[in-house]
C-alpha cells in the first residue's frame, strides 16, 4: 500500500507522481467496486435507464398536464413512445451491461473520487485556504448530483421524446439501437453533471488568478452564446428544450460571478491583515 505521506515541501517530482498514482489507484478501485455492485443490480440500473422510454415518466406527465390545462395537443400525452429498442450485435447487451455498470460506478463513486483528488491537492494549500475550502467535496458532489438529476429528468426525456418520435417519412420505423439509447441518456446525465460544476471551476480559477469578476462580466454575452450552443448539442433542436437547459446554466454562471467576487474579497482582506 501507499507509504506514509511526506512533507509536500520535501517531496520530489517523482514522489508527487507516486502519490498521485496511489490516489488514482484508490479512485479506480472504488469505481470498480461500485460498478460490480451495479452489475449485480441489473434490474434496478436498467429500470432507471429505461424510465424515460415510458410516457408514465414524471417529466412527460408534467408537460402533459400543462398541455391538458391549456387544451393543447401534446406528444407528451399517450400510452407509449412510438419506437422500439433493439440489440443487433451478438455481445451487444452484455457489452452495454458492462459499460453501463462502469459509468454507474463513476457517478455513484464521484464523491470519493473528489475526496481522493482533494487529498492530493490539499497539502499544497495554506491553512487558511484549506479552511475556506472545507466544503469543497460536499458542495461539488451536491452540484454534480443536482446536474445528474437535471440531465435525467429534463434533458434525457426531452431528447428521447423528440428524437424517438421524429420521422422523415411514415415508411421509416424508429428501431433504436440499445447502445444509441443508453448513450443518449449517459451523455445527458454526465454532461449536465459536469456543467453544474461551473461554480467550483470558477472558484479555483479565481484562486489561481486566471479569472476575475470583471472578466466574467465582460464575456457574459459570449458565455451566453456558448451555453446556447452546448444546449443545442445535448438537447433536441427546438428552442423550448434549449431554453430549459440554458436557464439553469446561466443562473450558475451568475452565481460563479458572485463566488469570484467573494474569493477576491477574502484574498484582499487577508493581504490587508498581513500588511498590518
Amino acid at each position: 500500500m501507499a507509504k506514509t505521506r511526506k512533507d509536500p515541501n520535501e517531496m520530489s517530482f517523482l514522489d508527487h507522481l507516486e502519490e498521485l498514482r496511489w490516489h488514482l489507484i484508490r479512485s479506480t478501485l472504488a469505481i470498480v467496486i461500485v460498478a460490480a455492485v451495479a452489475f449485480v443490480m441489473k434490474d434496478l440500473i436498467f429500470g432507471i435507464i429505461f424510465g424515460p422510454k415510458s410516457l408514465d415518466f414524471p417529466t412527460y406527465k408534467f408537460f402533459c398536464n400543462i398541455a391538458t390545462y391549456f387544451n393543447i395537443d401534446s406528444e407528451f400525452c399517450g400510452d407509449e413512445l412510438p419506437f422500439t429498442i433493439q440489440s443487433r450485435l451478438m455481445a451487444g447487451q452484455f457489452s452495454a451491461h458492462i459499460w453501463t455498470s462502469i459509468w454507474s460506478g463513476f457517478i455513484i463513486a464521484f464523491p470519493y473520487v473528489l475526496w481522493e483528488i482533494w487529498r492530493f491537492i490539499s497539502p499544497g494549500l495554506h491553512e487558511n485556504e484549506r479552511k475556506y475550502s472545507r466544503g469543497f467535496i460536499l458542495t461539488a458532489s451536491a452540484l454534480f448530483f443536482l446536474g445528474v438529476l437535471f440531465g435525467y429528468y429534463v434533458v434525457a426525456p426531452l431528447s428521447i421524446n423528440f428524437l424517438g418520435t421524429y420521422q422523415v417519412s411514415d415508411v421509416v420505423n424508429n428501431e433504436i439501437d440499445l447502445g444509441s439509447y443508453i448513450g443518449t441518456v449517459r451523455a445527458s446525465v454526465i454532461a449536465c453533471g459536469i456543467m453544474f460544476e461551473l461554480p467550483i471551476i470558477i472558484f479555483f480559477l479565481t484562486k489561481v488568478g486566471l479569472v476575475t469578476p470583471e472578466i466574467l462580466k465582460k464575456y457574459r454575452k459570449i458565455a451566453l452564446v456558448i451555453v446556447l450552443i452546448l444546449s443545442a448539442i445535448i438537447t433536441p433542436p427546438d428552442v423550448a428544450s434549449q431554453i430549459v437547459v440554458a436557464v439553469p446554466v446561466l443562473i450558475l454562471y451568475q452565481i460563479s460571478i458572485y463566488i469570484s467576487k467573494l474569493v477576491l474579497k477574502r484574498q484582499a482582506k487577508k493581504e490587508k491583515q498581513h500588511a498590518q
Side-chain angles (χ1 to χ4, degrees):
M1 294 299 290
K3 299 178 181 179
T4 304
R5 181 184 288 273
K6 301 177 181 178
D7 185 343
N9 296 322
E10 299 176 356
M11 293 174 65
S12 66
F13 177 71
L14 292 179
D15 289 331
H16 283 292
L17 285 180
E18 176 68 12
E19 191 73 22
L20 176 61
R21 184 173 74 92
W22 280 106
H23 287 297
L24 292 177
I25 289 174
R26 285 191 291 267
S27 298
T28 303
L29 185 60
I31 292 173
V32 170
I33 291 173
V34 178
V37 176
F39 186 87
V40 174
M41 301 177 67
K42 178 180 66 175
D43 293 340
L44 174 62
I45 297 298
F46 281 93
I48 294 173
I49 291 175
F50 291 132
K53 168 70 172 67
S54 171
L55 281 175
D56 288 334
F57 196 67
T59 306
Y60 301 144
K61 286 186 175 181
F62 174 76
F63 285 111
C64 178
N65 290 336
I66 292 178
T68 302
Y69 180 80
F70 290 102
N71 294 320
I72 301 173
D73 292 332
S74 174
E75 59 186 13
F76 294 110
C77 300
D79 297 324
E80 61 180 1
L81 292 172
F83 70 87
T84 59
I85 300 175
Q86 60 180 350
S87 176
R88 294 177 293 179
L89 299 175
M90 182 65 72
Q93 295 198 49
F94 182 69
S95 177
H97 189 186
I98 291 177
W99 281 107
T100 299
S101 299
I102 293 173
W103 280 107
S104 300
F106 170 76
I107 292 173
I108 298 171
F110 185 76
Y112 180 81
V113 174
L114 276 181
W115 183 64
E116 287 291 347
I117 295 173
W118 177 247
R119 287 183 62 196
F120 177 71
I121 65 176
S122 60
L125 301 177
H126 297 294
E127 182 61 33
N128 286 338
E129 292 174 329
R130 284 198 293 269
K131 177 182 176 182
Y132 289 134
S133 306
R134 283 175 182 170
F136 163 72
I137 297 174
L138 180 61
T139 304
S141 298
L143 287 172
F144 178 76
F145 286 126
L146 187 63
V148 166
L149 290 174
F150 181 79
Y152 179 71
Y153 282 105
V154 178
V155 179
L158 289 177
S159 300
I160 290 170
N161 183 276
F162 177 83
L163 298 175
T165 59
Y166 187 85
Q167 287 183 293
V168 294
S169 172
D170 291 337
V171 302
V172 182
N173 295 322
N174 283 332
E175 298 177 347
I176 311 300
D177 185 72
L178 175 62
S180 177
Y181 175 88
I182 294 176
T184 299
V185 177
R186 180 180 63 239
S188 301
V189 168
I190 299 294
C192 289
I194 294 174
M195 280 199 305
F196 272 58
E197 294 293 327
L198 180 61
I200 300 296
I201 296 172
I202 294 299
F203 172 82
F204 282 104
L205 290 178
T206 304
K207 292 287 290 184
V208 298
L210 295 178
V211 168
T212 64
E214 289 71 25
I215 292 177
L216 293 175
K217 291 178 181 178
K218 180 180 179 181
Y219 293 103
R220 182 185 278 139
K221 293 181 180 179
I222 297 177
L224 173 61
V225 174
I226 294 174
V227 168
L228 290 175
I229 292 174
L230 289 175
S231 301
I233 292 174
I234 66 174
T235 60
D238 65 274
V239 177
S241 299
Q242 293 174 19
I243 291 176
V244 167
V245 175
V247 168
V249 177
L250 291 176
I251 292 174
L252 288 171
Y253 188 85
Q254 190 61 40
I255 293 174
S256 299
I257 295 176
Y258 172 77
I259 290 174
S260 184
K261 287 181 180 178
L262 187 62
V263 170
L264 292 182
K265 184 178 179 180
R266 286 180 173 177
Q267 288 180 343
K269 182 178 179 181
K270 184 170 66 174
E271 292 173 358
K272 184 178 180 180
Q273 290 176 345
H274 285 309
Q276 294 176 349

